[in-house]
Amino acid sequence: MLRGFATISFWADDLEAAKDWYAELLGVQPYFSVPGPDGRAGYYEFRVGDYRHELGLIDNRFRPGGADPRPGGAVMFWHVDDLEAAVERLLSMGAALHEKITERGEGTGFATASVVDPFGNILGVMTNPHYLEVRLLYRSDAADE
């Protein structure tokens, strides 16, 4: 039934500031945008990472159930090669620590951390050896075609 991650949506009161912040973090501009009914930007979308997953930024005025200023909900963890450097960069860009770097089983190679971006969204980062294994398998499969 579930075939793969397609898009994660983050919300922001100041959509333009969120777009600029994520463009700086990711090193790319959004590839897609949709205006709201009033003509102002309502949605921006970035392609992120090895599999070009989608990170969508949506104006809070379109949040289901209305705007909620508290960080919350599910945490999507993005694999990073250097967890400590990733957390340091996020904090230097104005994110607030949500959960410190935490090993998830001694010696397993799994570790997570999360921050709250300046717009109230929780952004998770992790080191994940399974991600790297799947990435190698994906590259191997693609080479066989």
Side-chain angles (χ1 to χ4, degrees):
M1 182 173 121
L2 300 179
R3 299 218 24 214
F5 166 68
T7 304
I8 186 165
S9 298
F10 283 178
W11 309 90
D13 284 327
D14 186 340
L15 188 59
E16 293 303 315
K19 176 193 68 129
D20 292 344
W21 194 86
Y22 275 94
E24 181 180 342
L25 175 68
L26 302 171
V28 297
Q29 292 295 316
Y31 78 98
F32 180 71
S33 65
V34 176
D38 59 2
R40 291 186 303 148
Y43 179 78
Y44 288 109
E45 191 168 276
F46 295 86
R47 293 266 185 205
V48 180
D50 296 324
Y51 299 103
R52 314 303 295 153
H53 294 302
E54 296 171 356
L55 169 62
L57 300 176
I58 306 173
D59 190 297
N60 251 344
R61 59 198 162 127
F62 303 114
R63 180 189 287 262
D68 185 348
R70 299 169 299 158
V75 179
M76 168 64 102
F77 288 95
W78 297 86
H79 175 79
V80 296
D81 293 323
D82 184 335
L83 186 58
E84 190 171 308
V87 171
E88 286 176 17
R89 177 153 188 246
L90 289 161
L91 296 176
S92 77
M93 292 180 64
L97 190 63
H98 181 260
E99 181 183 35
K100 67 180 179 147
I101 295 174
T102 304
E103 284 191 45
R104 302 295 180 183
E106 191 173 325
T108 64
F110 291 96
T112 64
S114 58
V115 299
V116 178
D117 74 13
F119 315 98
N121 302 288
I122 299 173
L123 176 63
V125 288
M126 75 181 302
T127 53
N128 179 340
H130 290 169
Y131 176 89
L132 296 174
E133 291 169 9
V134 168
R135 179 72 180 138
L136 288 174
L137 178 63
Y138 175 78
R139 284 184 173 180
S140 174
D141 288 348
D144 293 339
E145 293 179 358

